Amino acid sequence: MANSVTTDRNAAASTSAATMKDTLTVVDNRTGKQYELPIKDGSIRAMDLKQIKTSADDFGLVTYDPAFMNTASCRSTITYIDGDKGILEYRGYPIEQLAESSNYLEVAYLLLFGELPTREQLDQWTEDIKAHWLLHENIKKLMEGFQYDAHPMGVFLSTVGAFSTFYPDAKQIFEEASRRKQVHRLIAKVPTIAAYAYRHSIGRPYVYPDDELSFTGNFLNMLFKRTELKYKVSPVLERALDILFILHADHEQNCSTSAMRGIGSSHVDPYSAMAGAAAALYGPLHGGANEAVLRMLQEIGSINSIPGFIKRVKAGEGRLMGFGHRVYKSYDPRAKIVKRTADQVFDVTGKNPLLDIALELERIALEDDYFISRKLYPNVDFYSGLIYQAMGFPVTMFPVLFAIPRTSGWIAQWEEMLLDPDQKITRPRQLYVGPQRRDYVPLNKRG
Ligand code: CMC
């Protein structure tokens, strides 16, 4: 089953041609009544089930789908994933081609505006971003208030949330010009926040953005510049980071994007919504996984300890981090590109000593029936942490490195949600299974 459901691209179209009718017939065996529900884009509308009732005062049938395993929450034109075939496309362009030939800023433009930019559009876009990558000095002061050992992701998401107090114009979410401005600010400022969070954690002075550098070159400069007049950015590392940013830019309705859309559906400003999305990304089952992978590899420590570790995972004592995915059930196409990129990075930085453990772990897991039967393959996070570590990032920065590029996906999805006439404030139903109505018992009468 493809995750991004489209009638054009999968069997639904040919099936409907054979049966000649895009409908689903449902018989309610409680009442014997029959209903015909329209099928569109390979889906039925959950609201169409509401007419299925046993009596006039019955609320009507609802679907029960914890964790949204089989529920489409929106129609989207941004990202396409086929989890069985390992396909990922942004606006129709395969991720492999984008990683090969594009760069992060161009991909961000593509996600936000739907088309690849012309030369002129790209130049203007780049200029707009560079015009916004400085932080207000008071933001700097705010960041200085964090403990020296504060987790950079906590600093990141708090600072993004604080932006809403600096840019109250962001509340004008239905004014296109205002939305454009927040888009520029967010894409431009997130690397600066990330770099400041890092410099703060190691007690170094902040480095201001440098307009002469590329998006990723500038980021590396803000992170690693010391006292030299000009920090020399390695073109291999700059490109590797660009590729990683492209791979992480969007991934349709994942946990943090759903948070962005859900929070944004209350019509709050995009900074507040994005603070929530970043918080969702922080968790170890999502963007925190790359950090968890590194800690796991360090804990395993040597190839000899791998069989014992795998045994514990299979016994349910912890997970093999960086493995498995809700959507990809063959392989994660991003993981393949990351693995290739790792080789190029290690040529410059020297091999990460944890690589051998990762490779052996992958080899053993891919031959083991526990992982095969559950369709667990390496995901994007399995090797990305090794690259980040080789580049000199501490593990606590890993989720932040995920959040920087995901910003473009979050705001593209947020804007699509805002302009979608089908969307309203997010408000799922529940199945209440608690106690029936009962009377309050005073404290002195409780047994
Ligand atoms: N190690 C060991 N067993 C696993 C793993 C794993 N990494 N992932 C899933 N399983 C098992 C799980 O125990 C269950 O087994 P059983 O059927 O016997 O109970 C089965 O596989 C299905 O797991 P699930 O938890 O129902 O699957 P899910 O779709 O809810 O979870 C996941 C997806 C990514 C949260 C999960 O695979 C996981 O926890 N992986 C490790 C964390 C990780 O690497 N996350 C990064 C995801 S990619 C980046 C991103 O987009 O955020």
Side-chain angles (χ1 to χ4, degrees), residues 5 18 45 86 91 133 136 165 186 195 209 240 331 379 407 438:
V5 185
R45 282 189 173 254
R91 302 282 190 186
W133 59 18
H136 192 293
T165 65
L186 271 167
Y331 65 88
N379 59 49
T407 298
R438 48 188 170 163

Side-chain angles (χ1 to χ4, degrees), residues 188-344:
K189 290 182 197 303
V190 286
T192 320
I193 303 176
Y196 283 14
Y198 170 65
R199 302 284 292 203
H200 179 70
S201 71
I202 54 170
R204 289 212 185 127
Y206 303 142
V207 177
Y208 285 93
D210 182 340
D211 282 0
E212 283 177 21
L213 300 173
S214 71
F215 189 81
T216 44
N218 170 60
F219 180 48
L220 290 169
N221 181 57
M222 290 191 294
L223 286 160
F224 298 127
K225 186 177 184 306
R226 293 201 232 185
T227 50
E228 67 276 45
L229 229 46
K230 262 289 188 220
Y231 171 76
K232 241 179 130 242
V233 178
S234 152
V236 175
L237 301 191
E238 185 179 0
R239 179 65 195 147
L241 199 55
D242 220 5
I243 293 172
L244 288 165
F245 279 6
I246 291 170
L247 300 182
H248 285 88
D250 193 52
H251 213 231
E252 50 115 311
Q253 308 315 314
N254 53 80
C255 178
S256 57
T257 303
S258 301
M260 182 81 193
R261 280 179 172 261
I263 300 170
S265 75
S266 75
H267 292 175
V268 72
D269 67 87
Y271 302 110
S272 303
M274 207 180 104
L281 188 73
Y282 194 0
L285 297 189
H286 191 8
N290 50 17
E291 181 177 348
V293 169
L294 240 284
R295 294 195 193 283
M296 173 190 77
L297 294 175
Q298 280 162 344
E299 207 178 297
I300 295 172
S302 76
I303 289 184
N304 293 343
S305 309
I306 293 177
F309 174 77
I310 296 269
K311 206 169 155 196
R312 288 196 296 280
V313 167
K314 286 161 62 175
E317 299 164 27
R319 291 199 159 189
L320 174 49
M321 300 310 286
F323 258 67
H325 199 277
R326 170 64 58 79
V327 178
Y328 294 120
K329 297 300 174 196
S330 61
Y331 65 88
D332 181 340
R334 302 169 299 174
K336 278 193 174 173
I337 302 169
V338 173
K339 205 172 168 185
R340 260 201 323 268
T341 309
D343 291 335
Q344 292 153 14

Side-chain angles (χ1 to χ4, degrees), residues 439-447:
D439 290 326
Y440 178 79
V441 182
L443 189 56
N444 60 0
K445 297 219 169 117
R446 282 174 221 160

Side-chain angles (χ1 to χ4, degrees), residues 171-183:
K171 291 193 192 318
Q172 314 306 322
I173 54 171
F174 290 108
E175 282 175 22
E176 195 184 349
S178 168
R179 283 203 308 276
R180 281 293 75 76
K181 192 164 235 176
Q182 315 323 322
V183 163

